Amino acid sequence: MNVIQQNDNVWKSYERAEDFPSTVVLPKGFIRMRDGVELAYTVTLPADATGQPAAGKFPTILIQTSYNKAVGTFVPELGGANPFMVKRGYATVVVDVRGTGHSQGVWDAFGEKEQADYSEVVDWVISQSWSNQSVGVYGVSYLGITAILTAAQNHPAVKAAFPIVPIGDGYRDIVFTGGQVNITFIPLWMGLITGLGVTPLDTLQTDPVAGVELMISHLLNGLTQFQVPTILKAALGDEETVFDGDFWKTRSPLEQAGNIKVPTFVVGGLRDLFQRSEPMWFEQLKDQTTTKLLIGPWTHIETAGIPTDGLPKDGVPPLEQIQLMWFDQYLKGMDVQAEKLPNVTQYVLGHDKYETSSDWPHPQVKAVEYFLRGDKFLKEAPAESTEPSSKVLQAPLFGLCSASTNQWTAGALGFFPNPCNTEDTFNQIPSANFRTPVLEEDMYINGPIAADIWITSSAREAALSVRISSFDPATGRSQAISNGLLTASHRAVDDKKSRFMNGLRIQPWHPFTKSAVLPVVPGEPMLLPVEIFSTAAMIPKGQQLQISINSSNLPQGLQPVPQLLNGLAGVITVLNSDKHQSKVVLPVVPIETLRN
């Protein structure tokens, strides 16, 4: 056995031989909930060489999925038992959440009824003869969200959590980023869940009549109860959906972060759908329980290991080895020193290596202002007078050939390699671009970014898409780093909830409520504080840090119809003057902190 460690910022491999030669799947069944709804489950146990269930009681890895547990048989990332863990002495229970797969009920995506089911499922698990009453919650994407929400319920049997790419804030992370509805991933995601949910393969095989009834029920619920109505309400500007409020708070697990007391290992991705919140999970949990954070260069699909997560690399072992170590420590009680894993491990774009640190944000980070100037440079000195402005056409179709399309389709386009997956070069053409002078030394940024952009609009609504990239003056190409989006009428900021760093606001927090909406008056200057999602990147010397300002980023969001119509065919003017100092605030870390 190799056990980590001499210090908190060094990775070492952890390996352990199999305890059992095989695995076995028990007969499938149903767990009856308090309201009579039955949830379908599958149990996989360690087995002897003959395939018989091994004697004894085992800690359990609980996975709760919306993607149909039958699919997990073929795609384990969507909810299948991992033989690597089962053979090392872990039972695995996979449950279809209500209204999906083989389970009864109406699906409503982390709604109150679904969340109330989680503890009842844990109760059932620990009542089984093969359970030692110790449960670890685990999963990727939806499964990771159910894991962290289950951990927040503080069931005494739940001892540890290992969520991979969990959402934090349902509204701000993806569904209504900047007040704009996501029209790429969300419809695809709801369609995927509906498609998988209306095909209860196991039930169709064992009881065709019941299977057909369940299939029709799921389809009708999708058309009339949640999926289709939610999408239509969002697009048409329904107030319950387009503004932040109780609907989204229920579906924002960070609202419950204060309840989580079990050791939690969070995995995220720099190109992930939930890029914004993944480091915030560490920040929220670190003072109340043992918490670790690993962020790779991944899209959503890549973080799940589809087609690969690229590990091991730079000493960071494969995720299943990390999971084994985590659960061995906290479910089996083995002293493998999991608490001494590096607190924060992040891949650094441009540096192309994983780096570790003791905290997030980075302990040595400092907010630095760069001002947009009339000569299209980014400079640390603000304008002293009115300088030439820049104009941008208001249109909803920009950003299609950019890294955003790959990111907001969960990385699906990565299966078809093209420059748009990682570059923002094409998107520069209709944008107002501002660049630092050519760097004489490497620049390392790590954390959230703010863009405070003064504009006027000729229309009654406007929006800004702000991209950060590394620009190579020798080739004219730019590599995507991160981006932000904001609708002008949602520009109000709550500074009590915003993040400040050495006196500078570096992560604005927008209420996105109906009462916080501000008017957009044609020709009147207004400040748009755009939140740009957290990242870690190095811009090498000889290149330039670039921000590109446009009026839309279609893959990430589209304004609801009322706002969209108010802004069509307008023109945005980006202001640069002593009275209207447009700027970007960057989280700069000393380059010496990076390994050579």
Side-chain angles (χ1 to χ4, degrees):
M1 180 189 301
N2 296 324
V3 180
I4 293 188
Q5 200 56 47
Q6 278 75 38
N7 63 69
D8 290 345
N9 287 320
V10 175
W11 279 94
K12 288 187 179 179
S13 178
Y14 174 75
E15 298 176 2
R16 180 165 66 79
E18 295 176 355
D19 296 316
F20 302 92
S22 189
T23 69
V24 61
V25 179
L26 300 185
K28 300 173 179 64
F30 295 88
I31 309 169
R32 182 175 290 272
M33 297 292 101
R34 64 212 166 275
D35 57 358
V37 167
E38 293 191 332
L39 305 186
Y41 70 83
T42 298
V43 175
T44 305
L45 296 179
D48 61 23
T50 67
Q52 294 301 306
K57 295 178 181 293
F58 306 100
T60 302
I61 296 173
L62 173 60
I63 301 170
Q64 297 170 97
T65 180
S66 63
Y67 298 123
N68 193 334
K69 61 185 178 58
V71 177
T73 305
F74 309 101
V75 187
E77 294 80 9
L78 294 181
N82 184 349
F84 177 87
M85 296 297 295
V86 179
K87 290 180 180 181
R88 285 163 176 79
Y90 289 92
T92 298
V93 174
V94 183
V95 177
D96 287 333
V97 301
R98 65 169 57 214
T100 71
H102 304 265
S103 293
Q104 299 172 352
V106 177
W107 180 64
D108 65 350
F110 315 111
E112 292 179 357
K113 288 186 178 180
E114 180 184 317
Q115 291 190 39
D117 292 340
Y118 302 156
S119 285
E120 292 191 47
V121 170
V122 176
D123 286 338
W124 179 88
V125 168
I126 63 176
S127 71
Q128 302 307 298
S129 60
W130 40 259
S131 169
N132 75 350
Q133 300 194 335
S134 182
V135 176
V137 286
Y138 168 85
V140 178
S141 188
Y142 198 107
L143 295 61
I145 301 168
T146 62
I148 209 160
L149 285 169
T150 301
Q153 296 183 356
N154 273 317
H155 193 294
V158 175
K159 307 297 185 183
F162 202 99
I164 299 175
V165 289
I167 201 170
D169 185 324
Y171 189 99
R172 291 162 184 79
D173 285 2
I174 182 169
V175 185
F176 268 97
T177 302
Q180 300 191 26
V181 62
N182 184 287
I183 63 167
T184 47
F185 174 73
I186 296 302
L188 289 173
W189 171 65
M190 287 190 169
L192 174 66
I193 290 176
T194 304
L196 296 176
V198 301
T199 314
L201 301 175
D202 291 345
T203 308
L204 284 169
Q205 292 173 352
T206 59
D207 188 343
V209 174
V212 170
E213 290 178 350
L214 189 61
M215 181 169 60
I216 293 172
S217 173
H218 287 347
L219 181 60
L220 290 176
N221 288 336
L223 292 174
T224 64
Q225 297 292 321
F226 187 71
Q227 292 96 304
V228 172
T230 300
I231 293 173
L232 288 176
K233 287 193 293 185
L236 297 175
D238 173 75
E239 291 184 2
E240 180 189 19
T241 308
V242 301
F243 295 118
D244 194 16
D246 291 341
F247 180 88
W248 295 112
K249 283 181 171 58
T250 299
R251 292 162 175 82
S252 296
L254 273 172
E255 294 284 332
Q256 302 182 41
N259 298 328
I260 297 175
K261 308 301 180 184
V262 299
T264 303
F265 195 110
V266 178
V267 180
L270 290 173
R271 310 287 193 201
D272 183 49
L273 299 168
F274 313 133
Q275 169 191 351
R276 175 184 180 271
S277 282
E278 286 152 357
M280 295 169 69
W281 271 115
F282 173 83
E283 187 178 33
Q284 290 289 314
L285 299 179
K286 65 183 181 181
D287 293 331
Q288 59 198 41
T289 187
T290 302
T291 309
K292 307 295 178 182
L293 174 68
L294 169 62
I295 296 182
W298 308 304
T299 63
H300 201 64
I301 290 175
E302 289 169 337
T303 314
I306 306 172
T308 177
D309 58 19
L311 295 176
K313 179 177 171 60
D314 302 327
V316 182
L319 285 180
E320 65 180 7
Q321 288 187 13
I322 303 172
Q323 178 195 354
L324 176 66
M325 186 180 193
W326 199 250
F327 286 153
D328 275 358
Q329 176 91 28
Y330 298 111
L331 296 190
K332 284 181 173 276
M334 300 169 63
D335 183 13
V336 298
Q337 301 180 42
E339 77 280 0
K340 293 184 179 179
L341 287 167
N343 286 342
V344 177
T345 304
Q346 290 178 289
Y347 190 87
V348 179
L349 300 171
H351 183 54
D352 299 333
K353 291 182 180 178
Y354 285 93
E355 295 286 337
T356 61
S357 65
S358 61
D359 204 357
W360 188 93
H362 195 284
Q364 298 185 52
V365 69
K366 180 181 179 181
V368 179
E369 296 173 302
Y370 282 83
F371 294 88
L372 281 60
R373 301 296 295 271
D375 57 6
K376 297 301 178 70
F377 276 103
L378 290 172
K379 298 178 181 178
E380 294 190 61
E384 296 181 356
S385 61
T386 300
E387 297 184 359
S389 58
S390 303
K391 295 188 182 298
V392 175
L393 176 66
Q394 293 183 217
L397 301 177
F398 298 125
L400 287 173
C401 182
S402 72
S404 291
T405 300
N406 191 36
Q407 178 172 7
W408 301 108
T409 54
L413 295 186
F415 294 108
F416 310 97
N418 69 81
C420 295
N421 289 347
T422 57
E423 292 188 22
D424 284 334
T425 305
F426 182 81
N427 201 62
Q428 293 170 199
I429 297 172
S431 303
N433 302 300
F434 299 82
R435 302 173 186 130
T436 62
V438 175
L439 298 178
E440 297 181 0
E441 61 179 23
D442 299 337
M443 175 188 285
Y444 177 28
I445 58 175
N446 189 328
I449 301 168
D452 291 335
I453 310 300
W454 281 96
I455 68 167
T456 62
S457 172
S458 63
R460 291 179 293 124
E461 183 59 280
L464 286 186
S465 166
V466 182
R467 297 178 179 277
I468 305 289
S469 60
S470 179
F471 179 80
D472 186 347
T475 63
R477 308 188 77 86
S478 59
Q479 294 296 314
I481 294 176
S482 191
N483 58 275
L485 189 67
L486 182 64
T487 297
S489 57
H490 282 298
R491 64 189 183 276
V493 171
D494 183 345
D495 276 339
K496 291 181 180 179
K497 294 185 177 182
S498 298
R499 184 193 303 273
F500 286 79
M501 189 178 290
N502 53 273
L504 299 175
R505 188 175 61 200
I506 198 166
Q507 190 172 30
W509 195 91
H510 302 277
F512 295 117
T513 58
K514 184 179 180 180
S515 62
V517 169
L518 296 174
V520 176
V521 179
E524 183 174 299
M526 52 188 167
L527 174 65
L528 270 62
V530 183
E531 177 188 4
I532 298 173
F533 289 176
S534 298
T535 190
M538 185 193 79
I539 299 88
K541 63 181 180 181
Q543 297 195 13
Q544 299 167 277
L545 183 138
Q546 171 181 269
I547 75 165
S548 300
I549 299 174
N550 216 320
S551 62
S552 63
N553 185 17
L554 184 62
Q556 187 176 16
L558 182 69
Q559 296 176 71
V561 171
Q563 288 82 10
L564 182 66
L565 294 177
N566 282 337
L568 281 178
V571 175
I572 289 171
T573 301
V574 179
L575 306 177
N576 317 286
S577 71
D578 53 347
K579 293 182 179 180
H580 304 112
Q581 296 180 355
S582 296
K583 65 181 180 181
V584 60
V585 184
L586 300 172
V588 179
V589 179
I591 194 65
E592 295 78 17
T593 62
L594 293 178
R595 291 178 292 172
N596 293 327

